[in-house]
Amino acid sequence: MLILGGTREARELAHIATGERGFEIVSSLAGRVRAPLLPEGAVRIGGFGGAEGLRDWVADKGIEAVVDATHPFAAAISANAAVALRDSGVPLVHLRRPSWSPQTGDRWVRVRDLAAAVRVVSTLGERVFLTIGRQGVSAFAGQAEQWFLIRAIDPPEGPLPPNREILLARGPFAVEGESRLLVEYRIDVLVTKDSGGDQTHAKLAAARAAGIPVVVIERPPLPDGAVTVETVAQAWDWLREARAGIRPR
């Protein structure tokens, strides 16, 4: 069994599966974070070389089922997995935590992608809390009229906004700490990806309490015909069905 990982859900699933007799689990991490949190069991780090490389690796290792538990914005690996396994007979499921939903008092502006976020953020505030990870930060490099607090696990690469401060931190975060950040840095607009889950949800609650707008970048769509589950428990049930020879739905 192969888990395409990098998320908390992937680590939880690996923990459950490695403790079950008869399951041989390999977790694969993309290697984009310098010091990733490693799951239990066997781990490989690095890309496969596209859909063809993944197809060959799955065949060579005799993988019987694949769980794509990557980040909701890791569109490339999800697409490669779908292409690689489409005609292989190896079942594939995408584990995706539910999207965030706005609550009373939220001032969300939903946008389709980074380019749209760049366009709209300039109309909403002058001091921006950018919480999209290190990838994609360069899209805001031309925003010279605004100041950015950029939070990421590792330092962003490529062009950066000229007026900025970089804050390296890894979640989970608490509402109290997020509220202090908003006040300390005089933030008047937040930009985030719709990652879902509770690891970084606190910033949304802090923004709601402060009454500041939030630009929410929507998730890229999964491949056509994708089989999905929303929880680790559902993914574990799916894996057990795959192991038992029941064609997972």
Side-chain angles (χ1 to χ4, degrees):
M1 310 288 184
L2 172 65
I3 300 174
L4 302 173
T7 60
R8 182 180 66 179
E9 291 83 1
R11 293 190 295 273
E12 291 177 358
L13 183 59
H15 170 73
I16 294 170
T18 54
E20 183 77 7
R21 180 177 297 178
F23 273 87
E24 295 185 18
I25 297 291
V26 178
S27 295
S28 177
L29 308 181
R32 292 176 178 170
V33 177
R34 293 180 181 178
L37 298 175
L38 297 179
E40 295 182 42
V43 178
R44 70 172 301 279
I45 296 178
F48 291 94
E52 184 176 350
L54 176 56
R55 182 189 301 115
D56 293 344
W57 191 92
V58 165
D60 181 63
K61 301 298 182 182
I63 298 297
E64 298 176 339
V66 177
V67 179
D68 168 25
T70 55
H71 191 276
F73 283 79
I77 184 60
S78 296
N80 285 341
V83 172
L85 304 178
R86 183 173 296 150
D87 301 317
S88 68
V90 176
L92 166 68
V93 70
H94 302 269
L95 170 54
R96 288 293 183 273
R97 64 182 80 116
S99 296
W100 287 321
S101 297
Q103 300 182 24
T104 302
D106 281 326
R107 297 174 58 195
W108 287 12
V109 180
R110 289 189 177 273
V111 295
R112 294 184 60 181
D113 52 28
L114 274 171
V118 172
R119 289 193 297 270
V120 74
V121 75
S122 62
T123 70
L124 296 175
E126 297 180 352
R127 297 183 66 83
V128 184
F129 188 12
L130 197 59
T131 63
I132 60 172
R134 68 186 180 94
Q135 298 186 47
V137 173
S138 60
F140 295 85
Q143 300 299 103
E145 302 300 318
Q146 294 169 293
W147 182 90
F148 290 83
L149 176 62
I150 302 168
R151 184 167 69 191
I153 296 175
D154 292 325
E157 300 174 351
L160 299 175
N163 305 310
R164 66 184 186 271
E165 182 171 333
I166 296 174
L167 176 61
L168 300 182
R170 188 198 299 266
F173 302 102
V175 176
E176 294 78 8
E178 299 292 70
S179 294
R180 285 195 297 271
L181 275 182
L182 298 183
V183 172
E184 178 183 353
Y185 289 97
R186 308 193 312 281
I187 299 299
D188 54 16
V189 58
L190 167 68
V191 181
T192 186
K193 293 178 175 179
D194 183 9
S195 300
D198 58 8
Q199 292 279 92
T200 58
H201 184 270
K203 62 191 173 189
L204 301 177
R208 183 186 314 122
I212 68 173
V214 180
V215 179
V216 181
I217 302 171
E218 296 180 346
R219 298 177 176 185
L222 283 167
D224 292 340
V227 176
T228 63
V229 295
E230 292 188 339
T231 68
V232 173
Q234 291 170 345
W236 176 232
D237 288 342
W238 184 94
L239 267 178
R240 288 190 296 179
E241 288 186 357
R243 178 191 173 198
I246 302 171
R247 184 67 178 185
R249 294 182 298 275

